[in-house]
Amino acid sequence: MKKEAVLLASAVFAAMLLGGPAFAGPIAVVAAENFYGDVAAQVGGDKVAATSILSKPDADPHLFEASASTAKALAAAKIVIANGADYDPWMEKLLKANTAPGRREIVVADLAHKKPGDNPHLWYDPATVKALAAVLAADLSALDPAHQAEYEKGNAAFAASLAPLEAKIAAMRGKYSGQPVAASEPVFGYMAALIGLNMREERFALAVMNNTEPSAGSVAAFENDLRGHKVRAMLYNAQASEPAVQRLVQIAKDEKIPVVGVSETEPANTNYQQWMASQLDALDRALSSRATQ
Ligand SMILES: [Zn+2]
């Protein structure tokens, strides 16, 4: 054994004896959804290795089923982030089936005081994501106290980085509060509420989210909103492609009602802040184009 190796071995042994942090590498964080994995990476920087299970913007997250590789990713996790509110029930099952002492489990719905039956697209409220970042910083600090200052700095930087998004929401609230819109699914719901939009046709949106057939009455009401120009814009879930939704999108286009696609999963090569800002920009353009007509 070389001298360096002996020194390293004794240092590791000493750390074990002291019961101090003996982390050989970054802290493994597994997020059920990629926007939460993004937040973990932003808060923890290079001290964190974040893995996300749902990361494909072209698949419907409501239909996801866990596989053996999902369970494998979880096995090494020190921190697990789930959305909850029935958005990722597979994660709850996996955690129950594979208990690990010391593993920290963060359920975002608990932070937002939401339960099954509430709109599960919780990350569309920046305040909820900010609360997650703070809990992550606390959990990372508990697991790795030596780097607590860095985690606190990461959390503060993340919170500060949301300021432009919050300002944009406030500005749009000033311009568009009370404006009627409709959506194919309640993906954008929390942000729409922050802007003060009057969200119509929620019966249709809930049916589509739950992958049930929207009732004839709710389809007719939606169609009537579009043909009667009772909404300023139509939001649709770009990640799901139900024929009933595609048909309504086409009617909106025919009626020259601006259509805005939103997604459930964070697209590649972007981050949470940029993703939310670009969707707000698209909605801003859509609503301002109608306001002048
Ligand atoms: Zn959804």
Side-chain angles (χ1 to χ4, degrees), residues 60-62 87 119-121 123 185-187 208-210 237 264:
D60 186 346
H62 295 277
Y87 188 72
N119 182 348
H121 306 93
W123 57 100
E185 223 179 294
V187 178
V208 171
M209 181 187 87
N210 293 325
N237 183 359
E264 309 218 3

Side-chain angles (χ1 to χ4, degrees), residues 109-134:
D110 294 343
L111 307 180
H113 309 290
K114 299 293 177 196
K115 55 189 190 315
D118 292 332
N119 182 348
H121 306 93
L122 305 170
W123 57 100
Y124 272 82
D125 185 344
T128 298
V129 178
K130 198 186 266 187
L132 167 65

Side-chain angles (χ1 to χ4, degrees), residues 28-30 51-53 67-80:
V29 178
V30 172
T51 307
S52 300
I53 312 290
S67 65
S69 68
T70 321
K72 207 174 152 193
L74 273 179
K78 294 275 181 282
I79 298 177
V80 175

